[in-house]
Amino acid sequence: DIERATEMARRMVCEFGMSQLGPLTYGKKDQEIFLGREIAQHRDYSEATAIKIDQEVRRFVDEGYARAKGCLVDGRETLIAIAEALLERETLDSEEVKTIIGGGKLPPVKPPSSPTAPAEADVQKVLKPEPGRAPGLQPGPSPA
């Protein structure tokens, strides 16, 4: 998500020193005493540095976006195959995903079978009950 990507890029630049600005931290953080309050950040750098920080953050986010888009474009057929398999099966295990990524085909989905399918005679008893009996009721032991 874009918000998390931007937050991570800003941390990479301001906290971790992972940008072309060098191994420096920008902005001193103070934590509030009360729970539920956000961490306050004090700006201890110039407006020119703030512009450079914003440019670096933008560069990280743009590069990440281009890389993610490239992965999706390059793997479009695989992505479509996975989406189609999910529509057919609803879930995929790791082996099925590996098969699809490797270019293989999944076996056809077996229709669900009922191990206790009612016999035709039982179905007929429900559909056409004996006179005086409610549908679906079977004779039981007589009370003693």
Side-chain angles (χ1 to χ4, degrees):
D1 106 4
I2 295 170
E3 184 177 342
R4 291 190 68 201
T6 304
E7 178 186 331
M8 180 54 73
R10 185 161 302 279
R11 290 183 70 201
M12 289 170 69
V13 173
C14 294
E15 292 180 39
F16 308 141
M18 297 174 66
S19 73
Q20 294 176 357
L21 299 177
L24 301 171
T25 60
Y26 297 98
K28 186 177 180 181
K29 290 192 172 198
D30 291 329
Q31 291 186 343
E32 295 290 331
I33 296 173
F34 300 106
L35 296 175
R37 296 277 178 109
E38 292 190 17
I39 296 173
Q41 186 170 9
H42 298 288
R43 192 168 136 182
D44 59 357
Y45 46 84
S46 69
E47 186 63 31
T49 301
I51 291 170
K52 290 178 185 176
I53 289 170
D54 288 342
Q55 289 171 342
E56 284 294 292
V57 169
R58 178 65 185 229
R59 183 177 65 83
F60 277 125
V61 172
D62 287 345
E63 287 175 2
Y65 175 82
R67 184 175 175 198
K69 186 176 179 181
C71 289
L72 293 173
V73 169
D74 292 345
R76 183 174 174 84
E77 282 100 35
T78 303
L79 185 63
I80 290 171
I82 289 173
E84 288 173 349
L86 284 169
L87 286 172
E88 181 182 339
R89 298 167 185 266
E90 293 187 23
T91 60
L92 297 172
D93 64 26
S94 63
E95 291 303 316
E96 291 169 329
V97 172
K98 288 176 186 176
T99 299
I100 294 170
I101 290 173
K105 298 282 184 187
L106 297 178
V109 178
K110 297 176 186 174
S113 60
S114 176
T116 58
E120 181 65 27
D122 294 334
V123 172
Q124 290 304 321
K125 284 181 184 177
V126 172
L127 295 177
K128 296 180 183 177
E130 296 175 24
R133 289 207 181 270
L137 295 178
Q138 301 296 324
S142 59

